[in-house]
Each structure stands twice: as C-alpha cells, then as structure tokens.
Amino acid sequence: MNQTIVPAASVLHPTAAFARPVKMRGEKVTVHYGAKQALFEVNLEIPERQVTALIGPSGCGKSTFLRCLNRMNDTIEGARVGGMITLDGEDIYDPTLDVVELRARVGMVFQKPNPFPKSIFDNVAYGPRIHGLARSKSDIEEIVVTSLRRAGLFEEVKDRLHEAGTGLSGGQQQRLCIARAIAVSPEVILMDEPCSALDPIATAKVEELIDELRQNYTIVIVTHSMQQAARVSQITAMFHLGNLVEVGPTEKMFQNPDDKRTQDYITGRFG
Amino acid sequence: MSTSAIIAIVLLIAAVGFTLGYRKSQRLAAGSAQKAHSRAVYHGMFVVSWALIPSLILLAGWLIASPALIAADIHADMPEAIENGTNPRLAYQMVEGIGAGLRALPADEQDAAAAASAADLRAMFQRRGIMVASASEDYMVELAVKRNRLEDYSRIAMSAVVILLAVAGAAYGLSQIAVRLRARNQVERVVGGILVLASSIAILTTVGIIFSMLFETIDFFGRVSPTSFFFGTVWDPGFAAAGADPTVGQFGLIPLLAGTLYIAFVAMLVAVPIGLFAAIYMSEYASRGVRSTVKPLLELLAGIPTIVYGFFALVTVGPFLRDMSAQLNGLITGNYQNFIQAQSVITAGIVMGVMLIPFVSSLSDDIITAVPRSLRDGSFGLGATRSETVKRVILPAALPGIVSALLLTASRAIGETMIVVLAAGVAARLTLNPFEAMTTVTVKIVNQLTGDLEFNSPQTLVAFALGITLFAITLCLNIIALVIVRKYREAYE
Ligand SMILES: Nc1ncnc2c1ncn2[C@@H]1O[C@H](COP(=O)(O)OP(=O)(O)OP(=O)(O)O)[C@@H](O)[C@H]1O
Ligand SMILES: [Mg+2]
C-alpha cells in the first residue's frame, strides 16, 4: 500500500505539455479518513478552461481528490486533508479563506442527480439567492433562464418552471443540477460521475453540454467510462490505490501511456 | 388439579414430544436416501404444536363454559328463591360465597357444615373469620354443597380430558413424522397464527374499550341532550347524591374544551421551538460524540412520570410564577398583588411543554436525519452555510414529517392528565387570561369519577361522554398525522 510510486516526468511538469494557465494546483495532497489514508501525496494541476478527466479503478480516491478541490471533505466527519491546494495561486485551505465563497467559485455536480424538493425555478435560483447575486426579481429570472439555457434544459422546461424539480427525468434532473451549479457563476465545475445514473441518450446530451461549458468554465470530471473520458476531456489523470499514476493529454494517455497500469486499465485488463 | 398444574403437565408432554420428534426425525433422515424436507427442530416443533394447541384450546373453552353450565344447573334448582322475591343473581352470589366458605373450612368440619342450617353455618364461618352475606338462607347451603360437588367433577374431568388430548396430539404428531413431511411450512403457519392472535387481541381490546364507553355515553345522552353538552358554556354538574333530582346540573363542554386546547397551545408554544431547535442541533450541528450523549439525555426526560412533572408544577413552577408576578407588579405599580395564580394556564402549559420537548425533539430528529445526505451535499456544494441549508432545504423537505410529529405531540398534550390535575386548577372557566386557572376535560373526568360511585347518574356518566369526545379529537389528530406521514414516505421512495 505505502510503496512510493516514482512519477513519470509528465507528472512533475504537466503544464509544459498543455500550454494553458493553471487554474487549480494540488501539491502533495494527502487525505485520511480516520486512520485510513485514502490519498498519497498527489500532485496535479488543473488547466484553465479545459476538461480534466480523473480515471482509475473503484476506490482509488478520485472522488476524494475531487472533494478536496472545493473542501467538501470538510463536511465528512473524520476526514483530514494535508498538503496544499491552490485556486488562482491562493491556498484554499488557508484558515482565513471563506469556504462558502470558495464553493461559490468551485461548484459541484454529484453522481446522483439531487435536485432540491422545490420548483425548477427555485432550484436554479437557490445559489444566486443565498449569495445575494441578484438585486431584483427580474435579475433572478434572467439568471435562471440563462443558466437553464446554458445547461440545454430551457426549451424542455420553459412551460413548467414552477413545477417540482424532482418530477423531471433523471437526465433532465442532472442537467438541472448543472444549471443550478452554473447559476452562481463558478469558475470551476467539479463533476463526480455525472452520467452514471443516466441512459445513453441523456448521457450524450450531458457530454455535449460539458463540451460547450469548456468555453467558459474549468471542468474536472470523474468518470468510469473510458469512451466518455476520451470524448469530453483534454487532460486525463489516472489514479490507482490513492496515488496519481500518470497525467497527460487525453490523446496521448489513450494511445501510448507511459505507465503499464494505465494501459491495463484503459484496455480493460484490470480494475 | 389446579389450572396451572394442568398447564405445566401439558407443557411437559410437549417437551417430551419435542425430544421424541427430534430423535425420530434424525433417525429417519439417517436411514433414508432422500433429503429430509425440514430440519429436525421443525419436526420437534410440529409435535409440540399438536400437543399444545388442541389441548390448550379445549382447556380455555372448558374454563369459560363450565362455570356458566354449573350456574344454569343451580339456577334451575332455585324455585323458592324467586318466590321469596330474592333477586336470583344475588342468591347465586350468596351460594357461591357459601361454597367458597365451605372449601375454606378444615376437613373435619366439612360434613357437619354441609348439614348445618344457614344461621349455624354463619356462626361457624365467623369463628374462622370468613365473611358471608347475612341474608343467606337454609336452601342455599344445600345448593352450595351441590355446586362444589359439580365444580369438583368438572375439574377432574377437565384435567383428565385435557391431559389425554395433549398426549393424543403428541402421539398423532409423532406418527406423522416422515422424511418428506413439510413440518417447516406447518410450523410457519402456527407461528403466523400466534402472531395474528396477538394482534387481534390488541385490536379487540381497543374496540371493546370504545364500545363500553359508547354504551355509557349513549346512556348519558339519554339523560342530557347532546346540544346542551356540546354547546353548553356552563359546567356545573351538581352532586350525584342519593335521592336528589338526577337532572340538575349543567354539563357544558365548551369551557373544558377551551381549557384543554388553551393549555395544550401554551405547551406547544414551549415545546415546539425548543424541541425543534434541539433536534436541528443534534442532527445537523452536533458531532457524533456530542449527539450520542445529548440524545439519550434528552430522551431521559421522556421517561419521567407525568405525576412528577405535576409535582414540579405544583410546588416549584406555580409558586415561582406567582411570587415573580407579585414582585413585578410591585416594581411597576407599587402594589404587590400577584397577577399570576399559582394554578394557572401558564403554569400547566409551561410544565407540559417541558414534558413534550423530548417528544418533539426525538421525533423531529429522526425525520430530519432521514432527509437524504445528497440534498445537504447539493446545498453545501453551492456554498450554502449550515443554517441556510437547514432553513431552505432540510426543513422544507422534512416539513410534512415534522407537521405530523407535532400533531402526535398535540394529541398527547390534549390527553395529558396528571400535570393539569395538579397545576391547572378545577374551576371550569371561560377566559382568555393565561394567568388564571382553567380546567381541562381530563381533569373533569378525574373529578367526576373520584369517590365511591355507581354509574347511574349523569354526574358520573358524563365522564364517558367526555372521554369519548377526547378520544375522537386525538384520533382525528393521529389519523391526519398518519396520512401526512404516508404521503411523505411516498415522496421519498
Ligand atoms: N466518508 C468516508 N469515510 C471513510 N472512508 C472513505 C470515505 N469515503 C471514501 N473512503 C475511502 O477512501 C477510499 C477512496 O474513496 P473514493 O470515494 O475517493 O474512491 P473513488 O475512486 O471515487 O471510487 P468510485 O469509483 O467507486 O467512486 C476508498 O478506500 C474508500 O473506502
Ligand atoms: Mg467516487
């Protein structure tokens, strides 16, 4: 378990290959749940306005790393995070930093669609309201409509904005959750297996959406589907047993990975 | 042979049957190529069922039927009693009394006693300290002897038949045991039957209680008109003295109901915010360690008997509020006159509210914890604080459940008795001033039923009308709560 993995060259200087400014950077990130260590000194850079995919076998720490990026691990009792994570060069674990503000800048979409038991409109308006992003009713309406449009949901729900969000189909619910995250104008959106509860058509829609969102947002997505990682991401990072094995441009990772484990995993030989 | 001895013997037979069945099943299984359908334990239980069920049903039937049959026989021998104008029921009770007395005499006096006259017998009984009604007559002694004899025969016959039946049942069960006997399924049916029996006893008892209340209530409404009961604003039942005109008294429900609802309202005003906030703290803010100590502590409050709360209200809270109000009045007006009575709506309400806190907090805590974690994550993930999450996501999601928890709590508040008996007062008054005494339906039920009473005057029968009214109110609250809970469940599944 504790063996140190000698990182490939691209892990140490990944940005060289991507030529994009770094949005978030994790340095020697470790996570413990109680006595159990779930992440071992992970160094990973997330380039701006790109889709970074985190892949790896179940239980390797992808969700754990993702949750570190907006400090959702704070809500888990017994979870401890070590090392440093920066957003635009600022340490997000700095005690003077406001978690609430951080989570507004780094939004999150979960594996299972989790709309609040409220109307579609109120679901999207939730974030802007608590952060006081809108002055008037018409401001809120505008934010809601724009967010739903960006999430590609507006046309489908424009006639029933005031019906319950839980009444939508699974795929629509997931896009509603994306709209909800977009509504607070985050800079980074974290997605933890956002399509695992969806059928292929709904998945295709969400993937299309992710591709569009790349224009405006930095996206980190955890996925178990190699095809999905290949389709939507520009950068892919491979995790194994709490270690970052390898990270690089998605094409290279899928065509000739440096690490044997990556190759095995991608070709479906283990995991 | 006493009933408990019969039961013990039957159980012994069953135990032996179990062992034999178990052995036989094992032996058969060992000697057979086929796989046994059921494990040996089930074969044992199969024999036990055959030994116990028929014999115990017979025992119960006999115990119910035999006294009735004996009584009918004795009644048939009592023509003189009816001529004399004695109530046959009373006469039979006396026969029973004498019979029991005879059994208590030592053996050497029995024969003499059986031949003695009623007066002599009374004297014999008195020497032994046995009480018998003084109106007993000579013929009753004879009947008592006969009755005792019949009883003895019946008992001997019962012991023999029941034990024989148990043995026969066990033997039959044993003879049935075979490798492919589906004993497992049969035992399952027996278990199902026992469970059905238990629940039907519970339900039938409830129905029985309601019906017994219903008959007395109908009796009451035959004497007092329902309109004057339900819409009357004066409660002045008068006394149920012997010979007094039974229709005097006014039975207005309104002041009692007003007091009940007012006190319950004050109690809810205390219990709901405190209980709910405690629940939110425990489920959303407290760490696991704090939660695991605070929650049981709060629930400890629920274990305090309500009479203790009543005491607390009577000797602590009531006088404290009275003195405080006097001080307050003195500071402001210079007149040290208390404006809160020691027994008052507010005293009873506050103390009842404290009693209800654990109910509210424990029920709401369960409901809040049941809100899926994904909703909390969604809200935190959007940058909401804890209190924002509670206010805007968790409470709205848990609202139906919380409302029904509050309705259940309210029905407890309405039915609560001991606290209001001690702390609210007995004056049936219609007032809006919470500092004065009011009384409740439950207090009046207690009042009307204390003392040595016969249930034949409106003064006592009114207790049943009050009880059934209270029952109707709490039943409605509980049904509404159940309906809400059911809807809420569906919403989550
Ligand atoms: N709340 C928690 N408490 C304790 N241990 C946890 C907790 N969450 C995760 N872990 C452990 O940390 C390790 C990494 O878990 P994580 O959820 O990050 O895996 P994952 O890569 O997302 O897996 P999957 O693909 O199955 O979602 C696992 O061994 C898991 O058992
Ligand atoms: Mg995961």
Side-chain angles (χ1 to χ4, degrees), chain B residues 39 70 78 87 110 131 168 190 204 209 226 237-238 275 334 339 368 378 388 410 419 423 430 434 447 461 481 485:
Chain B
R39 284 183 290 138
I70 293 175
M78 268 199 300
N87 181 339
Q110 294 262 347
M131 301 304 278
V190 171
L204 286 180
I209 291 174
F339 59 89
I368 292 174
E388 282 163 351
I419 294 176
L430 261 178
N447 277 179
L461 288 175
V485 165

Side-chain angles (χ1 to χ4, degrees), chain B residues 341-366:
Chain B
Q341 310 298 319
Q343 287 192 322
S344 65
V345 169
I346 190 125
T347 310
I350 288 176
V351 175
M352 197 193 283
V354 172
M355 179 202 85
L356 294 176
I357 289 172
F359 286 92
V360 177
S361 71
S362 153
L363 288 172
S364 316
D365 179 55
D366 291 345

Side-chain angles (χ1 to χ4, degrees), chain A residues 7 19 29 56 62 66 69 74 85-86 91 104 124 129-131 138 171 180 183 187 190 201 209 212 229 242:
Chain A
V29 179
K62 308 178 294 290
L66 198 71
L69 297 178
D74 293 11
I85 298 176
T86 58
D91 180 6
V124 183
R129 279 185 181 140
I130 57 174
H131 293 298
S138 59
R180 189 173 73 182
E187 298 156 35
L190 311 175
I201 295 173
L209 171 61
E212 279 166 30

Side-chain angles (χ1 to χ4, degrees), chain A residues 96-197:
Chain A
T96 61
L97 178 124
D98 182 7
V99 186
V100 163
E101 226 167 75
L102 168 73
R103 293 198 189 130
R105 290 175 67 192
V106 183
M108 189 153 199
V109 175
F110 297 84
Q111 179 168 4
K112 229 180 108 215
N114 58 348
F116 301 131
K118 297 170 178 283
S119 72
I120 295 172
F121 186 95
D122 287 340
N123 259 286
V124 183
Y126 183 85
R129 279 185 181 140
I130 57 174
H131 293 298
L133 298 182
R135 285 213 179 69
S136 63
K137 248 187 119 182
S138 59
D139 278 1
I140 284 269
E141 272 167 25
E142 200 188 308
I143 294 177
V144 170
V145 172
T146 331
S147 309
L148 284 172
R149 276 229 166 81
R150 286 205 175 159
L153 190 61
F154 186 69
E155 290 306 316
E156 286 162 67
V157 300
K158 66 181 171 199
D159 299 323
R160 44 175 179 152
L161 287 179
H162 294 283
E163 285 171 30
T166 41
L168 296 174
S169 76
Q172 289 174 327
Q173 286 188 12
Q174 195 60 299
R175 279 179 284 147
L176 177 62
C177 293
I178 294 176
R180 189 173 73 182
I182 295 173
V184 290
S185 329
E187 298 156 35
V188 181
I189 303 176
L190 311 175
M191 301 185 176
D192 194 346
E193 299 179 44
C195 301
S196 65

Side-chain angles (χ1 to χ4, degrees), chain B residues 401-457:
Chain B
I402 291 177
V403 167
S404 76
L406 297 188
L407 287 176
L408 288 178
T409 315
S411 78
R412 258 200 81 99
I414 288 170
E416 170 51 39
T417 310
M418 286 328 297
I419 294 176
V420 283
V421 165
L422 291 175
V426 289
R429 202 180 299 152
L430 261 178
T431 170
L432 276 180
N433 183 353
F435 303 139
E436 285 189 33
M438 269 175 106
T439 196
T440 69
V441 177
T442 48
V443 170
K444 281 304 164 197
I445 294 179
V446 172
N447 277 179
Q448 295 309 107
L449 293 184
T450 18
D452 194 4
L453 302 160
E454 287 223 44
F455 293 112
N456 53 9
S457 68

Side-chain angles (χ1 to χ4, degrees), chain A residues 70 72 75-77 100 103-104 106-108 110 114-118 126-127 129-131 180-181 184, chain B residues 286-289 373-386 388-389 392-393 396-397 492:
Chain A
N70 70 343
M72 280 300 279
T75 64
I76 296 175
E77 228 178 291
V100 163
R103 293 198 189 130
V106 183
M108 189 153 199
F110 297 84
N114 58 348
F116 301 131
K118 297 170 178 283
Y126 183 85
R129 279 185 181 140
I130 57 174
H131 293 298
R180 189 173 73 182
V184 290
Chain B
S287 69
R288 211 173 299 150
R373 191 185 154 84
S374 65
L375 289 185
R376 292 183 179 85
D377 284 344
S379 177
F380 291 142
L382 286 166
T385 61
R386 264 186 210 285
E388 282 163 351
T389 304
R392 288 169 180 259
V393 176
Y492 266 135

Side-chain angles (χ1 to χ4, degrees), chain A residues 18-34:
Chain A
F18 317 144
R20 281 269 187 175
V22 174
K23 185 70 186 174
M24 297 194 80
R25 171 183 285 134
E27 276 168 38
K28 297 195 168 177
V29 179
T30 57
V31 176
H32 288 82
Y33 291 113

